[in-house]
Amino acid sequence: MSVIYLLLAISILIALVFFAAFVFSVRKGQYDDSYTPSVRMLFEDELLPRDPEPENPDHQQNNTN
Amino acid sequence: MEDTSCFHCGAPCDLEEIRYDGKPFCCNGCKTVYQIFQDNDLDYYYQLEGAPGNSPASEKGRYDFLDDPLIAERLLEFQDASHHIVVLSIPQIHCSSCIWILENLHRLNPGVYSSQVDFPKREARIHFDPEKISLKDLAGLLSAIGYEPSITLEDYSGTKKKADRKLIYQLGVAGFAFGNIMFLSFPEYFETGEFWLEQYKGLFRWIMFSFSVPVVVYSGSGYLVSAYKGLRSGLLNIDVPIALGILVLFLRSTAEIVFDLGQGFFDSLSGLVFFLLLGKFFQQRTYSYLSFERDYKSYFPIAVTRLLDGGREENIPVYEVQKGDRLLIRNGSLVPADSILLRGAGEIDYSFVTGEARPVSKQSGERLYAGGKQLQGAIEIEVLKPVSQSYLTELWSDAAFSKSSKTGFRTLTDRIGKRFTLAVLAIAFTAAAFWLWKDASMSLNVLTAVLIIACPCAIALAAPFTLGNLLRIFGKRGFYVKDTESLERMALVDTAIFDKTGTLTTSRKNSIRYTGIELTEQESEVLKNTLRASGHPLSQALYRQLAPYNIVPLDDFEEHLGQGLEGRVADQQIRVGSSRFVRGEDPSAEEGTEVHISANNAYRGRFIIQNSYREGAGRLLERMGHDYSLAVLSGDNESERAFLGELLPPLTPMYFNQKPVQKLEFIRELQRQGRNVLMVGDGLNDAGALAQSQVGIAVSEDAGLFTPACDAILDGRRFSELDAFLKITRKGMKIIYLSFALSLLYNLAGLYFAVTGELEPVIAAILMPLSSISIVSFTTAATNWIGRTLKK
């Protein structure tokens, strides 16, 4: 019957894990700037169609680096 | 003229248009930045946003002081042999392209490891290798691409502001406890006497108890402390009934579970604290890139160039400037201390310090005051007084800057709080006394129940959410208010005082008119080409104004620093400049900014250059004249008295030649007469008046640039809507009153249960969040409704 103790313990433990995650994220400064990351995630690894002439393999190589 | 705008910065190309790569640019600076980005495959910059750039400032030697290890050490956040971290404030950051280019700095210079932009703060944190790129070169690199870091005395002397995250932690703890306690208390809401529930309720209750301890001790601590402080100084602020509610909730709930009387009100307790903190959080959100506390420190440079014997130069922190030092002041730099001009022609712009619009020419031997900006060429000066004792900085020793005039203000909520607390206590004890007589065992129950249910959660939320939302609405429209308290003070204003230069007028646009003998075609052509050769701001303004003429090479050109220009094509000679230079007469005292012209040594006439008044300024003042008493305080001379008089409503008092201290005293005098004064200004010369007035609004062309300490910053383009903002603030206060009435209804409903001794935990658990949520939605909807009249 004492399974309720186990369940309570587990549920509180899980809650505490999430709470610890919250504290960790605040401490890391994730709540300091709530705007920039939303922009930053949109421009990763943009590959430009910089040179319309595809016969320039050197340039292509540079861009993919 | 063709109507094109610069591909890089978006400014109109009216001065000259440079074509490069098939694209128009307004100046060589912009073209160069474009080239740099092209060469480094960074032209994605221009795809993110149209014309995102800034025109770069080109001043060599400006960041030389960063080579000084002592100065650099103060600025660096972290340093070891091959890795430095610096956080630079870059006011020019304004769009996603800016973020992108600054975070790709490593592609422009291999010495940069990485960089990260904090957009709300307009800051970039840059990791770099000091062996490959020095801090000075880094600043130079940023400058060259149009992101000139602003490094001021404040960075040097200021204690690094640490992010205050306490409120977020408190909110997190309260929210965490609130959710979990809600789960644990749910079974007992509806089911009592059930077998398994009876068996385990003790366990559930004690877990709830342990969750609520940190809520009271940590999350709610601010309210307890504030109430204690209030009581000690004899004030019944709104935190007193809140703290009373929190404590009573906790103690009664604990007593209930100890004596097995019931499940307690732990859910309501944590919910209450959670909602209260949410309100605080909403209220606290401000514009972190704006500073409302600036004094002269953030206007002054961090270091200056000291001249040593034998022509050597040395960079020293501005604090170390001693009496007798000889300093080199470069073009566009500030004079950091009161001093004497030794060499070079001074052309000093004091507009920011004194409000005087006309730059003054100074000859060697004349005295210069701190805060003036040297407009042309480099000068050498000898310091008379250390920085902290100069004419300008002495203003900051006035009592107005200790904020005493503003700290005495009591918010509406606190004023209501006093009456509310007294009423609640009266009801609680009357009801308790009644039950003592009728059924003594119920008495304590009723007393605590009244204190719990009357806890003014909804009242405490009304002002933060109403004013917090107004702050947000205003902020979107270019009116940045420091905090909600400033908004409350703004609603009480009855007198508005305006500065002239930079406030009613704008430095962005000049109106130029010519009086005198009409110039011939040939004279105009030589004039235009002479002006073209000069970098002086007045020459450039005039150049832009004149009709386009052919560009012809000058046969002869001479620039007399601080005096004027001389140009000759064939036998046509032109002199442009000050009255003294052109016709040998000293300018009259009422003269504004004027440029005189002579052709072949015969005097022709003069261009009068006026800062134009902001669009709609006249109409704004007229509208405001109905509701407020107005006055204009100007540091400028009387040259525009007549013109200004037409603009203002009749009989508006105008005062000219006002020194900063006089402005401050003027405001103080009005306050002695019991007025609530709004000061609208822009420069350091208004700083005293802005600090002294109930509400100081600084008008700024660019909110990221320097503004003196104030309560609100108004974007210059929004100047004509000032009265609309003020009107909405007044309406906002009405919304708060309505919310008070609304929350009192909830309190009355709750009191019925409390007084009759029937307050069940489930009722409290429903009533409290319900009242809070309805107040929040009412205030949010209402403020959005009154804010809709503002232009986007």
Side-chain angles (χ1 to χ4, degrees):
Chain A
M1 179 44 255
S2 55
V3 67
I4 193 118
Y5 292 110
L6 187 69
L7 287 174
L8 270 180
I10 291 174
S11 79
I12 290 172
L13 197 72
I14 292 175
L16 282 174
V17 166
F18 279 100
F19 184 68
F22 167 75
V23 171
F24 174 79
S25 64
V26 177
R27 184 151 296 171
K28 279 281 172 188
Q30 288 190 20
Y31 288 77
D32 293 353
D33 177 4
S34 52
Y35 178 79
T36 326
S38 71
V39 178
R40 189 180 295 129
M41 65 177 284
L42 295 177
F43 43 64
E44 214 182 340
D45 300 334
E46 66 296 329
L47 291 177
L48 290 177
R50 188 175 131 67
D51 278 325
E53 319 94 284
E55 66 268 11
N56 191 345
D58 278 339
H59 219 110
Q60 291 282 320
Q61 206 122 46
N62 282 342
N63 268 354
T64 42
N65 279 340
Chain B
M1 220 179 284
E2 229 186 311
D3 204 21
T4 47
S5 63
C6 177
F7 183 71
H8 175 71
C9 73
C13 306
D14 49 1
L15 193 56
E16 51 190 322
E17 189 190 316
I18 299 165
R19 283 254 155 206
Y20 177 79
D21 207 9
K23 296 175 179 81
F25 294 93
C26 68
C27 59
N28 269 313
C30 287
K31 189 196 85 178
T32 313
V33 180
Y34 175 79
Q35 278 176 313
I36 295 174
F37 291 165
Q38 280 279 309
D39 294 346
N40 290 281
D41 292 338
L42 291 170
D43 46 4
Y44 180 62
Y45 184 66
Y46 298 100
Q47 296 182 4
L48 269 170
E49 308 241 352
N54 307 292
S55 204
S58 56
E59 279 161 45
K60 283 239 160 64
R62 199 161 163 187
Y63 292 109
D64 279 354
F65 60 86
L66 291 177
D67 273 345
D68 184 327
L70 273 176
I71 296 175
E73 194 181 347
R74 288 271 198 138
L75 297 171
L76 289 170
E77 203 179 70
F78 169 85
Q79 53 178 331
D80 69 16
S82 63
H83 191 160
H84 282 186
I85 303 176
V86 67
V87 177
L88 293 172
S89 150
I90 304 176
Q92 284 88 348
I93 296 176
H94 67 280
C95 66
S96 50
S97 282
C98 303
I99 300 173
W100 183 79
I101 194 74
L102 289 173
E103 299 204 335
N104 279 288
L105 266 188
H106 58 274
R107 285 160 69 171
L108 281 174
N109 190 305
V112 176
Y113 294 123
S114 69
S115 43
Q116 199 176 14
V117 173
D118 184 329
F119 187 84
K121 288 202 186 109
R122 308 289 193 265
E123 277 177 358
R125 174 193 298 266
I126 301 169
H127 299 244
F128 64 98
D129 183 350
E131 281 162 16
K132 289 190 190 143
I133 181 168
S134 69
L135 187 58
K136 179 186 121 187
D137 294 338
L138 185 65
L141 170 71
L142 288 168
S143 251
I145 57 171
Y147 292 97
E148 192 185 341
S150 128
I151 302 170
T152 61
L153 196 51
E154 204 176 34
D155 300 300
Y156 184 76
S157 59
T159 41
K160 280 262 183 267
K161 39 192 189 274
K162 240 188 135 190
D164 185 18
R165 299 175 186 145
K166 188 169 182 199
L167 186 59
I168 296 184
Y169 285 125
Q170 287 183 328
L171 191 60
V173 169
F176 169 74
F178 178 42
N180 283 291
I181 292 174
M182 213 57 169
F183 278 131
L184 292 166
S185 56
F186 216 73
E188 274 201 85
Y189 281 163
F190 306 111
E191 198 85 47
T192 40
E194 199 257 346
F195 175 71
W196 291 114
L197 212 58
E198 284 299 312
Q199 183 123 13
Y200 289 105
K201 69 182 181 192
L203 174 69
F204 275 61
R205 288 170 179 180
W206 282 107
I207 297 176
M208 286 196 279
F209 170 80
S210 46
F211 272 127
S212 68
V213 170
V215 173
V216 175
V217 176
Y218 181 67
S219 299
S221 60
Y223 294 97
L224 302 181
V225 170
S226 158
Y228 173 70
K229 277 186 186 156
L231 284 177
R232 248 195 15 185
S233 53
L235 285 174
L236 277 179
N237 54 23
I238 193 72
D239 289 341
V240 173
I242 291 176
L244 205 59
I246 293 176
L247 284 180
V248 168
L249 269 169
F250 184 68
L251 293 177
R252 171 164 169 178
S253 307
T254 311
E256 277 193 10
I257 62 167
V258 169
F259 301 111
D260 194 23
L261 300 169
Q263 67 175 130
F265 299 85
F266 292 117
D267 47 352
S268 298
L269 167 65
S270 50
L272 168 80
V273 175
F274 178 69
F275 281 113
L276 284 171
L277 290 173
L278 208 59
K280 230 184 198 176
F281 183 68
F282 198 73
Q283 185 178 23
Q284 221 188 29
R285 263 187 16 190
T286 44
Y287 319 96
S288 42
Y289 70 99
L290 294 176
S291 172
F292 294 97
E293 312 295 345
R294 284 170 175 151
D295 60 9
Y296 63 93
K297 280 187 196 146
S298 52
Y299 186 55
F300 271 29
I302 186 168
V304 287
T305 309
R306 179 160 67 186
L307 297 168
L308 300 173
D309 293 337
R312 280 190 303 126
E313 291 180 6
E314 172 191 48
N315 290 296
I316 55 166
V318 81
Y319 268 143
E320 287 175 22
V321 169
Q322 306 270 323
K323 197 182 154 196
D325 278 353
R326 287 175 61 207
L327 306 177
L328 176 74
I329 305 298
R330 292 193 172 80
N331 189 4
S333 298
L334 282 189
V335 177
D338 294 356
S339 48
I340 292 227
L341 182 59
L342 290 182
R343 192 186 300 168
E347 175 89 6
I348 313 283
D349 173 9
Y350 281 117
S351 62
F352 212 70
V353 183
T354 61
E356 165 84 51
R358 177 177 55 169
V360 269
S361 299
K362 295 280 183 187
Q363 308 300 321
S364 73
E366 282 192 273
R367 186 166 180 161
L368 307 177
Y369 290 104
K373 191 185 236 177
Q374 164 65 2
L375 288 182
Q376 220 197 354
I379 50 172
E380 279 178 44
I381 58 171
E382 186 177 314
V383 177
L384 292 176
K385 282 179 183 173
V387 175
S388 55
Q389 288 170 22
S390 66
Y391 167 73
L392 173 68
T393 48
E394 266 174 6
L395 179 64
W396 268 265
S397 57
D398 191 280
F401 289 95
S402 53
K403 288 268 168 190
S404 54
S405 60
K406 288 179 186 175
T407 42
F409 182 77
R410 299 192 61 204
T411 63
L412 183 60
T413 312
D414 276 344
R415 277 177 278 146
I416 293 268
K418 184 179 173 185
R419 275 176 250 165
F420 186 85
T421 313
L422 294 177
V424 166
L425 287 177
I427 294 174
F429 282 106
T430 318
F434 171 78
W435 280 101
L436 207 58
W437 164 71
K438 198 179 171 198
D439 177 3
S441 68
M442 285 293 285
S443 184
L444 200 61
N445 177 343
V446 169
L447 179 72
T448 51
V450 171
L451 292 177
I452 288 172
I453 206 69
C455 185
C457 180
I459 287 189
L461 288 178
F465 274 91
T466 308
L467 300 174
N469 203 30
L470 279 184
L471 282 187
R472 210 172 46 79
I473 292 171
F474 286 180
K476 272 191 195 155
R477 289 162 176 81
F479 185 43
Y480 311 95
V481 184
K482 182 166 83 176
D483 52 24
T484 54
E485 200 191 295
S486 305
L487 273 181
E488 282 198 38
R489 284 199 307 264
M490 209 178 290
L492 297 174
V493 160
D494 52 23
T495 307
I497 311 294
F498 289 85
D499 167 55
K500 185 180 74 74
T501 315
T503 303
L504 292 178
T505 66
T506 168
S507 56
R508 283 255 167 107
K509 243 177 23 197
N510 290 315
S511 68
I512 300 177
R513 62 200 156 98
Y514 177 76
T515 56
I517 306 160
E518 188 118 9
L519 298 175
T520 64
E521 184 96 348
Q522 196 193 5
E523 284 164 356
S524 302
E525 189 179 276
V526 180
L527 174 63
K528 176 115 187 172
N529 283 288
T530 308
L531 293 170
R532 185 172 177 266
S534 160
H536 193 282
L538 279 181
S539 316
Q540 303 233 331
L542 213 53
Y543 177 84
R544 252 169 283 172
Q545 192 75 12
L546 292 171
Y549 287 97
N550 295 330
I551 294 175
V552 286
L554 295 168
D555 295 330
D556 212 351
F557 173 77
E558 200 172 348
E559 184 156 13
H560 303 265
L561 279 183
Q563 300 180 63
L565 312 168
E566 213 176 331
R568 186 179 62 82
V569 177
D571 57 351
Q572 181 66 56
Q573 178 256 13
I574 284 273
R575 276 162 88 90
V576 203
S578 68
S579 173
R580 166 154 278 286
F581 173 72
V582 174
R583 53 174 179 176
E585 281 173 35
D586 276 325
S588 58
E590 282 90 58
E591 192 184 292
T593 311
E594 301 188 352
V595 176
H596 299 259
I597 313 284
S598 73
N600 290 343
N601 292 323
Y603 186 70
R604 283 287 186 264
R606 59 192 192 198
F607 287 95
I608 301 166
I609 298 168
Q610 278 178 324
N611 283 340
S612 357
Y613 285 83
R614 287 183 196 278
E615 224 172 290
R619 264 168 292 140
L620 169 76
L621 290 168
E622 198 188 305
R623 287 195 304 266
M624 285 185 72
H626 299 306
D627 299 332
Y628 302 89
S629 35
L630 304 178
V632 172
L633 287 184
S634 175
D636 207 353
N637 60 35
E638 305 209 4
S639 60
E640 294 195 23
R641 177 183 274 277
F643 189 75
L644 195 58
E646 283 171 34
L647 198 71
L648 294 169
L651 297 178
T652 306
M654 288 178 276
Y655 303 91
F656 294 94
N657 298 311
Q658 295 284 308
K659 294 206 173 69
V661 180
Q662 286 175 311
K663 289 189 175 184
L664 197 162
E665 283 302 329
F666 185 85
I667 305 270
R668 200 170 270 165
E669 183 52 39
L670 283 174
Q671 288 173 333
R672 245 176 247 137
Q673 297 165 19
R675 306 284 197 85
N676 282 311
V677 186
L678 167 77
M679 173 74 203
V680 189
D682 74 309
L684 280 176
N685 60 321
D686 305 316
L690 289 172
Q692 176 65 34
S693 58
Q694 263 84 6
V695 184
I697 299 180
V699 179
S700 171
E701 306 295 347
D702 181 347
L705 297 181
F706 178 84
T707 44
C710 57
D711 301 300
I713 299 172
L714 177 63
D715 187 328
R717 282 163 294 185
R718 291 285 178 165
F719 182 72
S720 60
E721 291 160 56
L722 180 63
D723 63 324
F725 288 120
L726 294 175
K727 217 172 261 171
I728 288 178
T729 313
R730 288 188 171 178
K731 283 188 189 156
M733 298 312 284
K734 289 204 185 106
I735 293 181
I736 296 180
Y737 279 113
L738 280 177
S739 327
F740 284 166
L742 189 63
S743 70
L744 276 181
L745 285 182
Y746 280 107
N747 271 327
L748 285 179
L751 276 177
Y752 166 77
F753 292 104
V755 171
T756 52
E758 290 165 13
L759 183 67
E760 296 289 323
V762 65
I763 295 175
I766 293 173
L767 261 185
M768 273 198 184
L770 189 66
S771 65
S772 303
I773 289 169
S774 49
I775 289 294
V776 169
S777 20
F778 169 69
T779 55
T780 312
T783 41
N784 283 340
W785 170 254
I786 58 169
R788 85 202 180 282
T789 47
L790 287 169
K791 269 185 272 168
K792 282 275 173 216

